[in-house]
Amino acid sequence: MSGFSGDFGVPEEDFRRVISAALSRGASWGELYFEHSVDNRITMEEGIVKEGIKSISMGVGIRAVKGEGTGYAYTEDLSIGKMMQAARTAAAIADSGPGSGPAAIRESRCEDHYPVTSATTEEPLGNKVAWIGEAGEAARLSDPAITKVTVTLADSIRDIQIVTSDGRLLRDRRPMTSFSVSVVAERNGNRQIGVSSGGGRMGPEYFTEIKTPRRHGMEAARQALLLLEAIDAPAGPMELILAPAESGILLHESVGHPLEADFIRKKTSAYTDRLGDLVASELVTVIDDGTVRFDRGAINFDDEGTISSSNVLIEKGVLKAYMHDRISADFFGVPPTGNGRRESYKHPPLPRMTVTYLANGDSDPEEILKSTKKGIYCKSFRGGQVDISNGDFVFVPIEAYMVENGRITAPVKNLSLIGNGPDVLSRVTAVGNDFTFSDGRWTCGKGQQVPVGVGLPTIRISEITVGGSEMR
Amino acid sequence: MTGDQMKETAARIVETALSEGAGTAEVDVAENNRFGVTVRNGNIENLIESGSSRIGISVSVDGRKSSATSSDLSEESIKRMIREAVELAAFMDRDEYFGLPDPEELGSAGIDLGIHDEETCSATADRKIGLAMELEKMACALDGRIISDGASLSSGSYSSAFANSIGFCDWYSQTWNSLEISCAAADRPARGPNTGKKQSSYWFSTSCRFSGLEPIESIASKAVERTIGKLGAVKPKTCEVPVIFDETAARRFFGSISSAVNGGNIYRRASFLADRLGEKISSPLVTLVDDPLIQGAPGSRPFDAEGVRTRKTTVVENGILKTWLLDSYQARKLSMRTTGSAGGISNFYMKPGDSSLEEMIAGVDEGLLLTELSGPGANWSNGDFSQGGQGIWISGGKLAYPVNEFTIAGSFLQMLSGISAVADRFEWKGPLSSPAFRIDRMTISGT
């Protein structure tokens, strides 16, 4: 049980007093971010269910904003005295006369993009242990070369309540299920790791509707066994084909981060002052959408109370918009886009992605492959990193193959791909019609960790630097 | 809470857990106080000040283990948490290796580690804000091309009391300070669609003592030098050359090695070093140490996360892999003894050698000074290494021009064996630090 009713037990009168205190030195915006979270994790290792962990945290983050300045304080004690003290600490960001707090507070409602009937957190422990066991067994029985199997089921419920200085109160209950199988395969001193993970803002139906524990187990084993056969990747510039779904990590790194508007406001991003410019091939349309149903990156409203929406960032190659929180939106005089997110009540919000994807094209994926003479084909990824200022990004495949004369051939290992955002996106020469969202396994780190989603159809990039170790 | 109050609380919760049916119990009570300011263009952009508390409980019932953590320290909540943990334990399998540490391992190092600094707690917010303001002003004044991405000072204190059901109960407190500036500058690419290209870098200093921070003049000039030094960077040719890792790149490299010697990754067989205890894994110039007892160092602590007395551990000595870093569970799994490493590395570093960075550069005809690594391509599980890089090209023994958008790749074992020079100094930058070093040959993938 989550053991939490969704009500923080703070009377409306206290909301108004605390917000007024946050605005008492002239801040133009303030909000109270109440959060109660329950996180569970059960891990199986070496065939036994080894440890269960349950974490509960509750607190309120109080923010006062003036211009580009943020004052922030939090407390785990929701008594009026402690909240007033935190509000006065946050208020100190401004230094003029008192601003006015809200006269009344009204509850705002919005569409629910993750209407689960029951959360995994409320599932009987016996069921959870059974799913973990099924996955572990499927992985172990796949092949004698599988020497170790680790299965983790993590689930959480986050109850959020935001009270804003413009008099709105919003409530949300954010469920999450995450499942992961990691295996070690060993043969003649060669050791490889295979991983299969997924989930979303879903309840236990994830395991029946999206992917069963058994399939995760088999998939992790298949990947590790494949990597035992892989050859070392070549070094140098090559053509690249990205398979659907997980490859969306390319977008997340290459243009996602540099279009977060805090970097634009500070003029440190390579995409600063480039609205209206052609920044990618005309085949490229990029969208950030917090409303993708049941997706790991979905949010009904962001962590400063802006209702989620779908935002076109790049349309047919032309840069249309940045991703804003309230501060950057105010700075540029545009409406906030619902991208103000935070890790927890201990953190002030920042512009962050939700579900970032490349829109479907019209090429036949088979044709894209057939028409590629020599290159690399990537199916799954470990993750990536970007340098916001120069646009250079790295992303690291797990499952990748050589492409020779239009056919997928040998699996390759040990490679990073490095490219420059604007360069690489202008080299997209084909976009497939097989768009798919990635299974929910991505967490983005920008000082704070938040869950995100990605998606992509098959695409081809005419040249990217493949960073293997083999000089050919 | 005072240290004594925290200890009492931890010991009392252990008693409660035992009375609720736990066979063994371990309790950690922690308090954090944190101050942070970021200034940009002469204005305060972020100001954070807060304190928080947390308790963690691990219980076992008949060799079945579970844990719970909570931010709610009320009596009622703690009781509920213990009951839920005991209930959860029943669903776990029995683990014959699980147990509290051997009683003779428990204890505190018993020396003053110099990790708590009163000035960090007493320095006023205005003084801390002033320091960040000065740092930013100084960096911007050094070069007109600098765009400030903000100067930050964060500081705080952390105290933790730990108690278990076989009589350990102790407490310590430490402080931390970090001062940093991030800079950018407009760059002009030779060609291509990236007309908004910029370069950025940063420098930071960290210390337990407020007065131990590097002087702001020095932080500002390093950040500016590292940023301006990247202007005009080009993509290098695909080639094999010697590579010098500066301290920043070296820290990231040895971060992977510290994971590869972690006992958890060894018994899970998720480390390229898993079968190599006692073997030569590296050039004899490499000695790696984890030392929790260094005066005033950022990772120092008197006991580890399960109450085991801490001690210095030489993990790799002159190239020979001597031991893993182990907690008591991992030690039992591997038939070894704990190294007092529960909770992770303390101060993990490579012992300095006898070359200066300048000598190392002068000894390279064509090669690379690597200043940054990026991406998750350092795979310490299978030993493969391929990461994105930025740096400065070396030609004829001199720094020639900046390079970016390339990868460097190889295998950890080749890289460790290829270390042919180690610099004679390093600065503490958190729990993991390393002098610069040179690897004789690596594959660079560029144009």
Side-chain angles (χ1 to χ4, degrees):
Chain A
M1 292 296 288
S2 76
F4 185 72
S5 65
D7 183 359
F8 289 85
V10 177
E12 190 195 313
E13 173 56 26
D14 286 2
F15 289 152
R16 277 187 290 158
R17 277 180 68 193
V18 177
I19 289 200
S20 294
L23 302 183
S24 63
R25 293 181 64 180
S28 53
W29 171 266
E31 94 259 305
L32 317 180
Y33 174 88
F34 293 91
E35 180 185 63
H36 180 280
S37 64
V38 180
D39 284 88
N40 294 305
R41 178 180 293 267
I42 299 179
T43 304
M44 185 180 83
E45 243 181 36
E46 305 177 303
I48 64 171
V49 182
K50 203 170 261 188
E51 190 174 14
I53 301 174
K54 175 173 190 162
S55 306
I56 297 174
S57 72
M58 178 166 81
V60 58
I62 299 174
R63 181 169 72 142
V65 175
K66 173 125 197 202
E68 294 177 86
T70 294
Y72 199 78
Y74 54 85
T75 171
E76 282 131 13
D77 181 340
L78 303 187
S79 67
I80 182 71
K82 285 287 184 188
M83 287 199 291
M84 289 297 279
Q85 189 188 336
R88 283 190 287 265
T89 303
I93 190 68
D95 54 6
S96 53
S100 57
I105 290 165
R106 279 210 188 91
E107 183 153 359
S108 292
R109 292 188 191 278
C110 57
E111 199 183 330
D112 186 359
H113 304 299
Y114 26 86
V116 299
T117 40
S118 79
T120 306
T121 303
E122 281 148 3
E123 197 68 17
L125 281 165
N127 291 359
K128 294 188 185 184
V129 169
W131 295 325
I132 290 172
E134 284 165 31
E137 189 181 78
R140 265 192 312 280
L141 296 180
S142 291
D143 193 286
I146 304 293
T147 53
K148 295 277 170 177
V149 178
T150 303
V151 186
T152 304
L153 171 61
D155 56 74
S156 66
I157 287 190
R158 221 152 271 253
D159 281 287
I160 311 274
Q161 189 168 315
I162 300 180
V163 185
T164 63
S165 57
D166 59 2
R168 289 176 303 133
L169 182 153
L170 299 105
R171 290 177 210 269
D172 197 10
R173 170 163 271 212
R174 299 177 180 169
M176 189 74 85
T177 299
S178 312
F179 193 71
S180 172
V181 182
S182 163
V183 310
V184 179
E186 290 179 273
R187 198 179 284 151
N188 307 326
N190 180 0
R191 173 183 299 111
Q192 298 296 338
I193 311 285
V195 180
S196 176
S197 48
R201 294 209 184 278
M202 304 183 77
E205 68 279 7
Y206 170 78
F207 296 110
T208 47
E209 288 172 17
I210 309 288
K211 202 163 184 175
T212 61
R214 213 181 127 67
R215 271 185 60 210
H216 273 298
M218 290 167 68
E219 171 61 20
R222 184 196 64 78
Q223 197 179 70
L225 295 167
L226 178 95
L227 288 171
L228 285 178
E229 310 293 330
I231 58 171
D232 277 317
M238 298 189 88
E239 206 157 2
L240 173 71
I241 301 177
L242 297 174
E246 281 204 7
S247 311
I249 192 74
L250 168 116
L251 285 180
H252 177 98
E253 300 300 348
S254 66
V255 291
H257 280 297
L259 296 182
E260 291 166 343
D262 48 344
F263 303 121
I264 306 299
R265 157 174 85 75
K266 297 179 194 172
K267 299 189 184 300
T268 54
S269 163
Y271 289 90
T272 307
D273 296 329
R274 298 210 61 193
L275 279 184
D277 286 2
L278 193 67
V279 296
S281 145
E282 288 172 13
L283 299 171
V284 172
T285 292
V286 180
I287 294 161
D288 182 82
D289 185 352
T291 73
V292 179
R293 268 171 89 83
F294 301 110
D295 196 281
R296 182 171 162 82
I299 39 176
N300 291 330
F301 52 84
D302 73 5
D303 299 327
E304 41 186 14
T306 305
I307 307 297
S308 281
S309 56
S310 172
N311 301 297
V312 178
L313 306 175
I314 294 174
E315 190 171 18
K316 295 184 175 158
V318 176
L319 181 58
K320 290 290 183 186
Y322 301 115
M323 286 172 277
H324 291 284
D325 62 1
R326 291 195 65 94
I327 290 178
S328 67
D330 266 9
F331 182 85
F332 288 106
V334 298
T337 54
N339 292 94
R341 303 185 63 189
R342 55 180 123 197
E343 180 177 311
S344 77
Y345 64 88
K346 292 184 184 175
H347 304 84
L350 292 172
R352 302 297 295 266
M353 283 171 262
T354 58
V355 184
T356 315
Y357 64 94
L358 191 134
N360 221 355
D362 48 23
S363 297
D364 175 1
E366 291 283 320
E367 282 305 315
I368 295 176
L369 179 62
K370 272 191 200 156
S371 58
T372 304
K373 268 209 123 40
K374 188 164 192 261
I376 298 273
Y377 180 85
C378 296
K379 268 186 87 171
S380 70
F381 290 87
R382 181 166 291 124
Q385 190 177 344
V386 63
D387 183 322
I388 305 296
S389 59
N390 59 25
D392 287 357
F393 67 95
V394 184
F395 63 128
V396 179
I398 302 173
E399 186 176 347
Y401 302 83
M402 295 299 297
V403 175
E404 288 156 299
N405 298 317
R407 284 181 45 241
I408 289 174
T409 59
V412 292
K413 68 176 184 72
N414 196 19
L415 67 160
S416 282
L417 302 171
I418 189 158
N420 180 270
D423 282 345
V424 163
L425 287 187
S426 66
R427 292 187 192 135
V428 173
T429 51
V431 176
N433 56 12
D434 54 347
F435 177 85
T436 317
F437 284 113
S438 170
D439 200 344
R441 48 162 289 211
W442 301 102
T443 298
C444 171
K446 173 177 163 183
Q448 305 176 26
Q449 308 283 321
V450 299
V452 294
V454 301
L456 190 90
T458 297
I459 68 168
R460 185 177 55 211
I461 290 162
S462 60
E463 186 184 294
I464 196 161
T465 299
V466 175
S469 59
E470 290 301 292
M471 299 282 294
R472 279 182 197 149
Chain B
M1 280 190 271
T2 65
D4 282 343
Q5 285 169 330
M6 288 176 73
K7 276 164 64 177
E8 266 168 45
T9 308
R12 198 178 64 238
I13 299 171
V14 167
E15 288 310 313
T16 313
L18 294 179
S19 69
E20 293 289 338
T24 66
E26 294 173 285
V27 172
D28 178 37
V29 179
E31 268 189 8
N32 266 299
N33 284 297
R34 165 182 171 218
F35 172 89
V37 62
T38 301
V39 302
R40 194 173 62 87
N41 299 337
N43 297 312
I44 298 177
E45 181 136 321
N46 265 295
L47 190 63
I48 299 188
E49 196 167 0
S50 272
S52 67
S53 320
R54 191 145 199 90
I55 45 172
I57 303 179
S58 288
V59 299
S60 74
V61 182
D62 185 30
R64 300 163 205 271
K65 192 190 174 198
S66 71
S67 312
T69 73
S70 172
S71 59
D72 186 348
L73 270 58
S74 72
E75 201 79 15
E76 178 201 6
S77 156
I78 289 168
K79 267 216 163 116
R80 193 171 55 231
M81 186 175 152
I82 290 169
R83 279 189 200 128
E84 285 179 348
V86 169
E87 194 184 300
L88 182 58
F91 283 87
M92 301 297 118
D93 290 320
R94 208 172 165 273
D95 185 348
E96 57 178 310
Y97 296 96
F98 172 75
L100 300 185
D102 292 338
E104 66 267 26
E105 298 278 8
L106 297 172
S108 177
I111 48 168
D112 178 12
L113 294 170
I115 53 177
H116 183 89
D117 171 47
E118 266 313 310
E119 192 182 9
T120 299
C121 307
S122 64
T124 61
D126 282 347
R127 201 168 147 209
K128 291 175 179 174
I129 294 166
L131 205 55
M133 290 273 188
E134 276 300 301
L135 172 61
E136 189 195 40
K137 212 158 101 188
M138 201 162 277
C140 291
L142 281 172
D143 196 302
R145 291 170 289 181
I146 289 292
I147 304 167
S148 168
D149 192 15
S152 309
L153 187 139
S154 10
S155 65
S157 63
Y158 165 79
S159 2
S160 161
F162 182 82
N164 68 16
S165 53
I166 50 171
F168 181 90
C169 183
D170 206 347
W171 167 88
Y172 70 95
S173 166
Q174 70 184 115
T175 49
W176 49 273
N177 296 275
S178 174
L179 183 58
E180 169 169 351
I181 178 147
S182 301
C183 305
D187 201 355
R188 236 171 245 121
R191 60 193 160 76
N194 190 9
T195 56
K197 184 173 182 176
K198 293 166 191 66
Q199 297 291 356
S200 66
S201 196
Y202 64 95
W203 195 253
F204 73 103
S205 168
T206 174
S207 174
C208 293
R209 286 175 301 116
F210 186 66
S211 62
L213 290 167
E214 193 176 332
I216 51 176
E217 294 80 2
S218 163
I219 300 174
S221 67
K222 283 177 193 158
V224 169
E225 190 188 310
R226 283 175 82 90
T227 305
I228 299 299
K230 286 162 88 169
L231 294 179
V234 295
K235 191 166 174 160
K237 278 206 170 57
T238 300
C239 59
E240 286 184 342
V241 287
V243 176
I244 298 171
F245 285 58
D246 80 354
E247 284 188 32
T248 302
R251 277 200 298 277
R252 190 141 170 173
F253 177 78
F254 282 113
S256 300
I257 302 295
S258 77
S259 298
V261 299
N262 170 284
N265 291 322
I266 301 303
Y267 85 72
R268 292 185 191 101
R269 303 195 60 75
S271 162
F272 74 97
L273 294 173
D275 296 316
R276 299 190 178 265
L277 201 61
E279 290 181 22
K280 183 173 184 297
I281 58 147
S282 160
S283 130
L285 298 179
V286 176
T287 291
L288 298 176
V289 177
D290 187 66
D291 188 354
L293 302 177
I294 299 173
Q295 275 287 314
S300 293
R301 57 196 180 211
F303 52 87
D304 76 359
E306 51 182 359
V308 169
R309 198 177 294 110
T310 46
R311 79 280 322 244
K312 177 176 172 177
T313 304
T314 301
V315 181
V316 173
E317 189 167 20
N318 303 326
I320 310 292
L321 180 58
K322 292 290 196 185
T323 185
W324 319 117
L325 292 175
L326 300 159
D327 65 19
S328 59
Y329 177 79
Q330 296 156 358
R332 253 176 244 127
K333 295 284 286 186
L334 297 163
S335 306
M336 295 173 75
R337 288 182 67 133
T338 174
T339 56
S341 303
I345 56 168
S346 60
N347 300 298
F348 187 87
Y349 64 95
M350 174 161 67
K351 206 171 133 191
D354 50 17
S355 312
S356 72
L357 182 59
E358 293 69 27
E359 282 162 10
M360 283 198 277
I361 293 168
V364 170
D365 188 31
E366 283 294 314
L368 171 72
L369 172 65
L370 186 71
T371 56
E372 275 172 51
L373 281 168
S374 68
N379 188 337
W380 36 261
S381 297
N382 68 7
D384 286 346
F385 181 97
S386 170
Q387 289 201 282
Q390 302 192 30
I392 301 172
W393 200 256
I394 303 169
S395 199
K398 292 200 164 65
L399 296 177
Y401 52 87
V403 284
N404 65 5
E405 206 192 335
F406 63 88
T407 64
I408 70 166
S411 81
F412 276 109
L413 282 172
Q414 279 167 3
M415 290 167 80
L416 286 166
S417 303
I419 292 179
S420 59
V422 175
D424 53 9
R425 72 193 63 190
F426 69 85
E427 287 173 56
W428 287 110
K429 295 283 181 193
L432 208 146
S433 301
S434 168
F437 63 85
R438 185 179 66 209
I439 292 178
D440 271 343
R441 203 153 203 79
M442 287 200 70
T443 305
I444 295 189
S445 184
T447 61

